[in-house]
Amino acid sequence: MNRALGVCYYPEHWPEEMWAQDAAEMVAAGISWVRIGEFAWSRIEPEPGQFAFDWLDRAIDVLSRAGLKIVLGTPTCTPPRWMLERFPDMLAVDAQGHPRGFGSRRHYCFSHAGYRRASGEIAEVLGDRYGRDGRVHAWQIDNEYGCHDTILSYSEAARDAFRSWLAERYGTIDALNEAWGNVFWSMEYRSFDEIDLPNLTVTQPNPSHELAFRRFSSDQVVAYHEVQVAALRAHTDAPLIHNYMGRVLDFDHFEVGASIDIASWDSYPIGFLSDRLDGSAEHKARYLQQGDPDMQAFHHDLYRAVGRDGRWWVMEQQPGPVNWAPHNPAPLPGMVRLWSWEAFAHGAEVVSYFRWRQAPFAQEQMHAGLKRPDNAPAPGLAEAAQVGREIAEMPQIALQQAPVALIFDYPSDWAWATLPQGEDFSYFRLMLDAYRALRRCGFSIDILPSTVTDLSAYALVLAPGLATVPDALQEALAQTVALVGPRSNAVTEELRIPIPMGPALRGLDVTATRVESLPPHVTRAVIGGGTVQHWVEDLDGTAETLLQAETGQAVLKGNRRLQYLGAWPDADLWERIIHGLAKEAGLTVLTLPEGLRLRDTATHRFAFNYGPDLVEFQGKTIRSADVSWWGI
Ligand code: GAL
């Protein structure tokens, strides 16, 4: 496995006289990749059809002469102002019906046919010029689909495209009315042209309508993306990459990933802890300057599954305080290095820092880089350089398949976001809780899509919250020890209650006959230890009751190979459940000090101390914000 460092650089932000020195310093820090261009459309095509490539040619020349490999971005997430004259109706529209205007970025609707064409054209122009240029070693398409909440757009373009999509999916309007149950509240349509987008309704729209819109919106991202893929493939054999985000689930990343070569993601551990994670005030204080101990690893494992043949990068790594979270503390000394090594231990080929130098202007002037705005080194630079030296010295690390898998499914998130039943029911939170529980027991984990059909190589598989369990997956689950639930196989793909009611799993007589959602801080004790919270099901059926709440409700039912969990466990209960499953699966459970996490490769065990205190583990002493590894 190769390992390398990269950095995000904006030559258009700096006087040309600085470029050569910047490039030399990057190389001196052990950086070998540089990503450029992804926001530079107004400099590449200042007027429609008039291209200015001289500066970009020179930037590529200077950077590659210094020994850097270039990732060139297509600039389609920042269409220039003149694009709006060409397509006044290209803006995305929010759920309140307001256009999302020019003056920042991502101001386009995925469904706008004209803008989609224009995106293909600029990719084509860039591909034509640089596709066979040996200095451009990889391409990034667009930047962070979904950033700033931009997947769902309620524009006229989206409405028209949605109607065609519905006609294609359902064939006849009667089939749609039947599938959605539109007899309810006289919502029946006489033709596809009568169907609007599911916003601005008096109260909640039909959940089937909303889920269909979410499926459609995801398909629009895929279709938009594939236009650029096709344009670039015609000109280049270099790998195509997209940079995904943390906890953005509004489109199916597996489907976007299917047409490109490498998945990458943008990792901002401290920003996420503040902005995007549930958790107690105590948890957030403890990890304030480190980030949540499982959030990064979760996404590393997820994007390893999204990348073709497991290929993935961190395209943007937080190097210091960011600007966009409610509060923006600095990383503890050591964390930039720890995050970088954690990514490599999970299989990243490249960890690329965002950004080289902090910009003294515009929206991100408060966002740290590896260098300060005045060009002095920022604290992150020395840590990056240390990682640069270490990866040069470290022998190859071979990855291996993890013993445990977690099934992750984007449409399940859309289903539960549409029909939460309890306002804090979050698919992501449920998945992260399950993942965290496994990691606290010391396991390395592979995340897999719900389309997987062979699980025979895994000792244990978890599929919580999987809204609809495909038949092939049910069969695959029978090859291993598996935990399903809560809320798994609970609805059909149209978001209706199936009859017979779920989970109706093959070989397991369990039915969830009633569900309750509970407000935060309400817990119900489970006999023998732990509690359930948020979500509790009444379970019926002949399967053996393995765990029971003090209310008498069965919490876990099943047999030695397949178990159904009918509630949302707290950390202690998760631990009990995992211990039980691990025993059936023949896996050894470890007890880790608080904040310590492991990752096993074929050759090494890595240990990451996210906690504030020094820990002792397996004969090693690991300081706070430090990483340690040893051969296994
Ligand atoms: C990412 C984005 C970058 C930059 C960065 C700041 O979401 O891709 O362009 O905005 O965040 O943290």
Side-chain angles (χ1 to χ4, degrees), residues 541-560:
T542 57
E544 190 185 342
T545 296
L546 306 171
L547 288 173
Q548 200 172 19
E550 285 177 2
T551 54
Q553 285 164 303
V555 167
L556 187 70
K557 276 172 98 62
N559 54 50
R560 300 183 58 175

Side-chain angles (χ1 to χ4, degrees), residues 364-395:
E364 292 178 351
Q365 53 185 277
M366 302 302 289
H367 191 299
L370 293 179
K371 300 203 78 184
R372 299 190 328 212
D374 64 0
N375 206 25
L381 182 60
E383 290 192 36
Q386 182 180 350
V387 178
R389 288 191 298 276
E390 287 170 339
I391 58 175
E393 285 158 17
M394 169 106 180

Side-chain angles (χ1 to χ4, degrees), residues 273 280-291 293 332 593-596 609-613 615:
L273 182 83
S280 65
E282 189 196 349
H283 180 81
K284 292 201 173 191
R286 182 177 171 87
Y287 296 110
L288 184 77
Q289 294 181 273
Q290 304 97 303
L332 286 184
E594 182 70 35
L596 191 77
N609 187 3
Y610 269 86
D613 309 314
V615 299

Side-chain angles (χ1 to χ4, degrees), residues 39 105 143-144 147 243 266 268 316 322 324 354 364 367:
F39 301 129
R105 62 178 171 182
N143 188 80
E144 291 192 340
C147 188
N243 57 334
D266 298 343
Y268 292 93
E316 297 180 14
V322 301
W324 44 262
F354 182 91
E364 292 178 351
H367 191 299

Side-chain angles (χ1 to χ4, degrees), residues 151-152 162 165-166 169-170 180 207-222 250-252 255 409-412 414-415 418 467-468 491-496:
I151 299 301
L152 303 182
F162 184 49
W165 184 92
L166 291 171
R169 179 175 170 99
Y170 294 98
W180 291 7
S208 302
H209 184 177
E210 214 176 317
L211 181 61
F213 179 59
R214 283 178 166 268
R215 289 187 192 282
F216 155 81
S217 300
S218 177
D219 285 358
Q220 294 301 91
V221 177
V222 175
D250 293 338
F251 64 96
D252 195 322
E255 292 191 0
D409 177 58
Y410 290 91
S412 293
W414 314 334
T418 301
T468 307
V491 290
T492 69
E493 288 192 352
E494 297 296 336
L495 204 38
R496 300 167 57 128

Side-chain angles (χ1 to χ4, degrees), residues 145 242-254 257 261-267 272 276 295-315 346-348 408 410 428 447-448:
Y145 294 138
H242 177 72
N243 57 334
Y244 306 98
M245 301 181 68
R247 202 178 181 166
V248 167
L249 311 183
D250 293 338
F251 64 96
D252 195 322
H253 295 40
F254 292 115
D261 307 291
I262 300 175
S264 75
W265 81 288
D266 298 343
S267 177
F272 294 152
R276 225 165 277 177
M295 180 76 169
Q296 289 65 251
F298 179 89
H299 287 88
H300 297 338
D301 291 343
L302 174 62
Y303 291 124
R304 197 172 59 248
V306 170
R308 184 180 290 175
D309 301 326
R311 295 191 66 186
W312 73 279
W313 296 13
V314 172
M315 188 63 90
H346 285 253
F408 190 84
Y410 290 91
F428 180 83
I447 294 184
L448 303 173

Side-chain angles (χ1 to χ4, degrees), residues 175 247 331 360 432 457 502 579:
R247 202 178 181 166
L432 190 64
H579 275 247

